[in-house]
Amino acid sequence: MIGCGFMGRAHSNAYNRVGNFFDQAYVPQLTAVCSRNAAATQAFADAWGYQSIETDWRALIGRADIDAIDICVPNNLHREIAIAAAEAGKMVLCEKPLAIDAADGLAMCEAVERAGVANMVWYNYRRVPAVTLAKRLIEEGRLGRIFHYRANFLQDWTIAEDLPQGGTALWRLDSAAAGSGVTGDLLAHCIDTALWLNGPIRDVTAMTETFIKQRVHSHSGEVQPVTIDDACAFLCHFGNGSLGVFESTRYARGHKALYTLEINGESASIRWDLHDLHRLEYFDHSDEGRLRGWRSINVSDHGGEHPYMDKWWVPGLQIGYEHSFVHQVADFIEGLSTGQPAAPTFRDALQTQRVCDAVLGSAESGRWADVQPSEA
């Protein structure tokens, strides 16, 4: 693993737990973790059970005792590390978004495909059981023709004007490291889920805003312009003819991680809320009129009716955010056994990157922007 931050903990926890709950052909071995600060890296290794540390990612990739590289560093570093790992014959797992932009993402796709190595991007919300159940209901045709898709992801942690940009903790506020603000950080999650549930997006029209125009940079101590988007909203057309409405901001006071989605179809509707992540709400118009209404499905049954839940506790008990990463590791390992790659692959995630690029381009131009179609 390269990186010892928040996502490094989430991934490490998943690697450690997957073998306890999923019976699979392979069990991850935490061989080495890498970051620039040796003391902090050793503390991380001790806490999570890594056997060794490195302070140079190139040395990590060069080791013969490592089969897979997990990239948990700022977005601007993804391309170089992923390509080097692929060229060394390593499997590559990469935090989202895939890259700083679609051009880098395409280079990463070509590298892993040229090398023939397994690859995956950590869009973990696909693996929340309620969201996976929504996917199955859509595939069964229960919603019928889909008319509307709407999603938002709201936070409030960057409102303070004295919050600096850049550095280890706040690189998401520095466009040189992140590429964009809420579009690549939060809306990318919403877009990935939407593409998975509702199919490709054809075109977008967007607006963005940067509310605080200057911040002190953590490295230089100088006041510098802020060039990431603090808020973004966009409309879109999906390939199936439905309309989409998306919104994200880090300036929604009172919201720490509000991610919601709703899909309206001809026959039924579904909606989901990260704050109550085990619950899927479902409205079926075919219900008897006097009983027709939104039903709340507690996605926690144990007999195979609900995705992943038979791997955990007894029926009715809840799981949480961390378990979506365990599910993703389990699916990745299963893909190694079956030869069926676990999605989203780099190629899948490239399409999310293309939507993000179109959103930012539309916001800059003030015009509708087409989304480059996916490739075979």
Side-chain angles (χ1 to χ4, degrees):
M1 176 174 289
I2 303 174
C4 296
F6 170 75
M7 298 317 304
R9 301 201 313 272
H11 296 190
S12 299
N13 177 70
Y15 293 130
N16 280 329
R17 298 190 69 184
V18 68
N20 298 126
F21 292 92
F22 288 79
D23 183 15
Q24 294 183 303
Y26 306 107
V27 176
Q29 178 176 305
L30 303 187
T31 302
V33 61
C34 176
S35 72
R36 288 172 294 187
N37 184 308
T41 307
Q42 187 62 59
F44 187 94
D46 293 342
W48 292 102
Y50 286 87
Q51 299 169 8
S52 60
I53 71 165
E54 298 283 355
T55 55
D56 182 346
W57 63 262
R58 294 173 183 82
L60 190 77
I61 287 174
R63 288 175 50 165
D65 59 340
I66 291 173
D67 303 306
I69 298 294
D70 189 348
I71 302 171
C72 298
V73 294
N75 306 338
N76 64 317
L77 304 176
H78 289 186
R79 172 179 173 157
E80 184 180 11
I81 296 173
I83 291 175
E87 290 176 345
K90 313 295 187 184
M91 296 177 280
V92 191
L93 302 94
C94 185
E95 244 310 311
K96 49 65 58 183
L98 174 63
I100 205 164
D101 56 29
D104 277 9
L106 178 59
M108 294 165 66
C109 289
E110 292 172 342
V112 296
E113 291 165 0
R114 187 167 52 246
V117 295
N119 56 92
M120 185 178 67
V121 177
W122 290 87
Y123 281 112
N124 60 296
Y125 293 114
R126 292 186 181 207
R127 266 73 182 195
V128 174
V131 178
T132 308
L133 178 59
K135 171 70 169 175
R136 294 183 181 178
L137 295 177
I138 293 168
E139 289 178 336
E140 292 169 5
R142 291 177 180 268
L143 273 64
R145 179 186 175 189
I146 292 174
F147 300 120
H148 294 284
Y149 191 107
R150 60 184 64 85
N152 61 22
F153 207 138
L154 312 180
Q155 297 181 340
D156 72 352
W157 63 277
T158 64
I159 293 177
E161 292 192 14
D162 59 354
L163 192 71
Q165 62 177 320
T168 301
L170 296 171
W171 61 266
R172 287 178 176 83
L173 302 187
D174 183 353
S175 62
S180 66
V182 296
T183 299
D185 186 27
L186 303 180
L187 277 177
H189 273 302
C190 302
I191 293 165
D192 172 77
T193 311
L195 296 177
W196 187 54
L197 294 178
N198 199 39
I201 292 173
R202 295 201 322 258
D203 56 8
V204 301
T205 182
M207 61 179 178
T208 61
E209 184 57 66
T210 302
F211 295 111
I212 295 177
K213 309 298 184 184
Q214 294 183 320
R215 292 184 185 273
V216 172
H217 198 281
S218 298
H219 286 161
S220 67
E222 298 177 356
V223 175
Q224 297 182 359
V226 177
T227 53
I228 55 99
D229 43 303
D230 290 327
C232 177
F234 74 90
L235 309 176
C236 71
H237 294 100
F238 284 88
N240 62 8
S242 60
L243 304 181
V245 180
F246 293 77
E247 180 194 11
S248 187
T249 181
R250 295 188 184 128
Y251 282 69
R253 184 66 82 191
H255 292 299
K256 304 304 179 185
L258 178 70
Y259 174 20
T260 67
L261 64 87
E262 180 172 331
I263 309 175
N264 306 127
E266 182 178 13
S267 304
S269 293
I270 54 177
R271 61 189 180 199
W272 174 78
D273 182 344
L274 176 60
H275 285 172
D276 197 9
L277 59 76
H278 65 282
R279 193 172 305 281
L280 183 67
E281 294 187 86
Y282 178 71
F283 179 94
D284 191 338
H285 186 67
S286 68
D287 287 344
E288 181 185 346
R290 61 189 179 134
L291 299 177
R292 188 181 296 141
W294 285 93
R295 69 183 75 168
S296 179
I297 304 170
N298 188 334
V299 184
S300 61
D301 216 336
H302 210 265
E305 296 89 351
H306 291 157
Y308 301 108
M309 293 307 301
D310 60 319
K311 305 300 184 185
W312 296 102
W313 314 112
V314 298
L317 297 187
Q318 306 307 312
I319 60 173
Y321 171 78
E322 70 205 61
H323 300 86
S324 62
F325 294 94
V326 181
H327 299 160
Q328 188 143 3
V329 172
D331 288 347
F332 182 77
I333 293 173
E334 183 178 1
L336 300 180
S337 302
T338 64
Q340 181 63 39
T345 63
F346 278 23
R347 184 63 67 172
D348 297 326
L350 175 61
Q351 201 54 30
T352 295
Q353 197 71 54
R354 285 172 169 160
V355 176
C356 289
D357 284 8
V359 165
L360 294 171
S362 170
E364 183 176 1
S365 70
R367 299 175 180 176
W368 281 88
D370 292 334
V371 176
Q372 184 178 349
S374 61
E375 298 154 358

